[in-house]
Amino acid sequence: MLFAVSLMIPLLGFSVWVFWRLSPPRPDPTSMRVYNIAASVLALLLAGAIAWYVRGSMAGGTDHGMWPVIAAYYVMAVVPLWLAVAGGIRRLIFGAREPSKPLEISQDLSKTRF
């Protein structure tokens, strides 16, 4: 269990970093920032709801003391999935509207030997 948690915690942090880092560039980033904050708050609410559900479903069982561990596994799986879905929706809403420009080479490579 400890090995799985040691792998999932960095992946959770990496998924949050990727979600914020891969925001499409916008001239006015205010609407993008509002969307990112709303998606992050919704991820926290989703994590709380998952933890509440796991606690409620394990309350009457013999292993009711393990609910925080099980809830942590659920949270570390659900939050990156939600951020991936929110990132896809963000890309559809705020993505580039014009086609991308071709790559421009800044120097003359005609006399370069490869």
Side-chain angles (χ1 to χ4, degrees), residues 38-111:
S40 299
V41 167
L42 194 57
L44 290 174
L45 290 174
L46 187 61
I50 291 290
W52 185 265
Y53 171 75
V54 170
R55 181 181 178 270
S57 65
M58 292 182 71
T62 58
D63 57 351
H64 64 277
M66 292 295 290
W67 77 265
V69 176
I70 305 301
Y73 282 117
Y74 275 94
V75 165
M76 285 189 253
V78 168
V79 169
L81 289 175
W82 163 247
L83 290 178
V85 168
I89 293 170
R90 179 185 62 200
R91 188 69 171 173
L92 289 174
I93 294 172
F94 297 107
R97 300 291 182 219
E98 67 275 351
S100 60
K101 296 177 184 175
L103 180 64
E104 295 179 18
I105 299 174
S106 60
Q107 61 182 348
D108 182 23
L109 297 177
S110 62
K111 295 180 175 102

